[in-house]
Each structure stands twice: as C-alpha cells, then as structure tokens.
Amino acid sequence: MKIFQHVSDIGDLGAALAEAQEVKRDRFQWQHLGRNKTALLIFFNNSLRTRLSTQKAAMNLGMNVIVLDVNQGAWKLETERGVIMDGDKSEHLLEAIPVMGSYCDIIGVRSFARFENRQDDYEERILQQFIRYSGRPVFFMESATVHPLQAFADLITIEEHKATARPKVVMTWAPHPKALPQAVPNSFAEWMLAADVDFVVTHPEGYELDPQFVAGARVEYDQMRAFEGADFVYAKNWSCPGVTRPADYGRVLDDYHTMMDWTVSARQMAVTNDAHFLHCLPVRRNMIVTDDIIEGPRSLVIPEAANREISAQVVLKRMLEAL
Ligand code: CP
C-alpha cells in the first residue's frame, strides 16, 4: 500500500478485518518488518488518539518514530505557489516536504479543512502535495475530507460487537458550538457503505454530505425515525458541507441552542435495538451526547479508541510490506 486515504485503498474489507484480529492476537509478531525503518508523523493540528495510537502501532512493528508538530517549533510554512514570501512564513511546503521525506520511510499527515475555500479542501491540496513531493508512502491521519484510520477502527469495533450479521448503523448529526470539518462523517459513511451493514444517516436539512462519500446511503431527516431499531448509533457534528449552497461551506447553520434536541440521549436510544453508542472522541458531553449514554453499558467509545492502534498497525504493516 502506497497511499491510505479511501476505503478502496485497504482492498477487501473481510481480509482487512481478519488482519486486524491477527494483529490483536499478537501485535509484536512483525517487529522485523520495521527494523531500521522510520515513520514520520506530521501534525498541522492537535491530536491525542491519532498521535498516541499511531506511534504505538509503529513501535509495535519495530519502527523508529519521529513526531513533528508543525506549529510548535518548525518554521511557519507557506503552502501557496507564487506568493512573495515577505510575511511570517519562512519556508515553503515545496522544500519542506522532500526534506521531510528524506528522513523517513513512511509519512503520516494530519491537516484539517481550513474552510477558506471548499475546492481547496475537497481537492486535498496539502495532502496531495505530500503524495507528490515526499517520495514516500503517505497515510492520512485526518485530512480536510477524510479520517480513514478512524473509520477503519470504527468498523473493527462494530464487527467485534455486532449481534446480527447485518446490523443497522445510524450516523447522526449532533450539535456543537464550533464549526467542525466533515472528515469523520465522510469517512464513516464511505466505510459503512463498503461494509455489510444497513446504513442510515440523519441530520438537519442543509447538512447534506458530499455525494462522493454518501451516495447510496439512506438519509432520514427525522432523527427519531432514523434511530428506530438501530444496533449502533454513531454521533458526530459536522459543519455545512456546502453541497446544495457552496456559500454555506464550513458554516454552523443554526444557533446550537436551538438544536439541542439532536443531542443523543435516553429519549432517542429508547427506540433503538438497545444500540451501542460510538463516537470518535474527543466529545463535548451534553452537546453531542448526554453523560448517562456515554458512561452507560452500551457505550463503546473506549474500545473504539483502543482500536485506533489496531487500524494504524494494519495500515503501517501493509506499507512496510510494500516498501
Ligand atoms: N479521534 C481522533 O482522531 O482523535 P484525536 O483528534 O485526538 O487524534
């Protein structure tokens, strides 16, 4: 594997899930693969789970790991060509990327949506430059539009806890005080549509996700109806994807105080099939989900986060095998 961005990059999902379980059985059995190999993890944005789980996965494989927080100690980077660099940015990404590539064997990059220009975000301008100029395999650690390591971990968690062959999985929008990107819901939708689940998306009108990720999904604007009979509830906020009105891209469409009936609580969970609750974390309690649900016996948020180590290890293992 040279690029890890979309569900198609992982190939057959059944094989990937079986490999994840093999990793879980003994995560240290491939230490020889990473010997004298270096993973460089580059963060343009904050992280807890991705940072720790990916480092751990690389160490499980015997790799050396370098973590760079671009905004803490590195030169401030210009990303646009043609700019006269007389401001506060001392280095251009076009030099920085091949230099970074020269110090490692595999690169992971986190670079969120900037919300300045929908086209720039949806064309993945930053990550595409890493793919083009680093000379290394690149895996996405949450980009402007996707978070595949999270979606893979989510799928592993669903597979481990499902009680029926084809569970009903509902992804619900939930309120949040700030504008958040669409990367997590985009990837979750993409991966669920590729998996053998009954997938339903529910959100207020105006938050329609990009068809490249949700085409084929059932969209239900009535949250209570969507939750009926659900086996898994996946909560997430996202800002307006700008599909129907590009000018609204990245906006929070309504004052969140008026949207609090979308917060996942016992009221909605009562109509599910005793659903498990999932969230990628970090989560704002009593905005996205009430305390009792996230702390309750059906919450899977901690095993879900733990599976981030497993999804990252499968991806790194496959990249090492292809070097
Ligand atoms: N879920 C997730 O990616 O968490 P972090 O932002 O803490 O890495």
Side-chain angles (χ1 to χ4, degrees):
M1 191 194 301
K2 299 286 186 200
I3 309 288
F4 181 62
Q5 176 178 5
H6 293 295
V7 66
S8 52
D9 296 322
I10 202 85
D12 180 75
L13 278 184
L17 287 167
E19 197 168 329
Q21 291 311 313
E22 175 72 9
V23 167
K24 268 197 159 173
R25 270 189 291 279
D26 177 7
R27 60 197 73 190
F28 304 110
Q29 62 181 298
W30 297 278
Q31 289 249 323
H32 59 282
L33 276 181
R35 191 167 177 272
N36 295 335
K37 296 286 188 290
T38 299
L40 173 58
L41 311 182
I42 301 165
F43 289 89
F44 287 84
N45 307 95
N46 295 341
S47 168
L48 187 150
R49 278 144 292 273
T50 305
R51 175 189 302 266
L52 298 181
S53 63
T54 312
Q55 284 188 66
K56 179 65 165 59
M59 292 188 294
N60 293 347
L61 290 162
M63 300 187 81
N64 301 309
V65 188
I66 303 171
V67 179
L68 177 67
D69 286 299
V70 173
N71 298 320
Q72 289 171 18
W75 301 111
K76 207 164 178 184
L77 293 174
E78 177 58 62
T79 58
E80 301 300 317
R81 280 190 81 244
V83 171
I84 297 172
M85 290 174 57
D86 58 355
D88 62 342
K89 294 172 180 168
S90 308
E91 179 153 25
H92 202 286
L93 204 58
L94 291 177
E95 284 80 54
I97 290 174
V99 168
M100 291 190 273
S102 73
Y103 302 140
C104 66
D105 300 281
I106 295 173
I107 296 183
V109 182
R110 166 165 284 201
S111 179
F112 290 172
R114 297 179 171 189
F115 293 142
E116 290 165 5
N117 179 315
R118 186 182 196 279
Q119 191 175 346
D120 284 357
D121 285 345
Y122 270 70
E123 285 179 357
E124 294 287 6
R125 291 272 304 266
I126 303 295
L127 267 293
Q128 288 305 328
Q129 292 188 74
F130 275 92
I131 291 169
R132 190 161 171 196
Y133 298 115
S134 71
R136 302 293 176 218
V138 174
F139 64 99
F140 287 46
M141 299 196 300
E142 189 171 344
S143 67
T145 65
V146 292
H147 196 358
L149 289 171
Q150 180 66 51
F152 186 15
D154 299 334
L155 179 61
I156 294 168
T157 311
I158 289 169
E159 188 68 17
E160 289 173 338
H161 290 87
K162 70 182 186 185
T164 56
R166 194 164 189 272
K168 178 176 177 180
V169 179
V170 177
M171 179 170 76
T172 181
W173 182 94
H176 195 277
K178 290 167 58 179
L180 296 186
Q182 296 103 40
V184 168
N186 283 345
S187 278
F188 188 72
E190 186 186 52
W191 284 67
M192 287 304 111
L193 287 165
D196 192 15
V197 302
D198 174 16
F199 183 54
V200 180
V201 184
T202 182
H203 56 73
E205 288 193 35
Y207 287 95
E208 290 76 16
L209 292 163
D210 194 292
Q212 70 173 293
F213 299 105
V214 292
R218 188 178 128 211
V219 178
E220 171 58 74
Y221 292 104
D222 181 332
Q223 190 193 35
M224 287 300 283
R225 189 177 296 168
F227 272 52
E228 284 170 8
D231 299 297
F232 293 89
V233 167
Y234 191 92
K236 186 73 185 83
N237 171 269
W238 61 91
S239 62
C240 177
V243 171
T244 48
R245 276 178 46 91
D248 284 342
Y249 173 62
R251 283 190 53 220
V252 176
L253 298 179
D254 297 289
D255 182 336
Y256 69 84
H257 294 97
T258 67
M259 306 300 288
M260 296 299 279
D261 55 341
W262 281 81
T263 301
V264 176
S265 70
R267 178 177 64 86
Q268 297 100 325
M269 295 302 273
V271 301
T272 68
N273 184 26
D274 197 17
H276 287 290
F277 176 79
L278 295 162
H279 188 280
C280 62
L281 304 181
V283 68
R284 290 187 185 234
R285 284 176 175 226
N286 305 306
M287 291 286 314
I288 301 285
V289 58
T290 55
D291 291 323
D292 55 327
I293 298 302
I294 195 166
E295 291 173 8
R298 303 299 280 171
S299 173
L300 292 176
V301 296
I302 304 304
E304 181 184 3
N307 276 334
R308 290 292 308 276
E309 177 183 340
I310 306 304
S311 63
Q313 187 166 338
V314 172
V315 169
L316 284 169
K317 173 176 170 289
R318 290 188 175 195
M319 287 190 157
L320 286 168
E321 287 166 344
L323 282 179

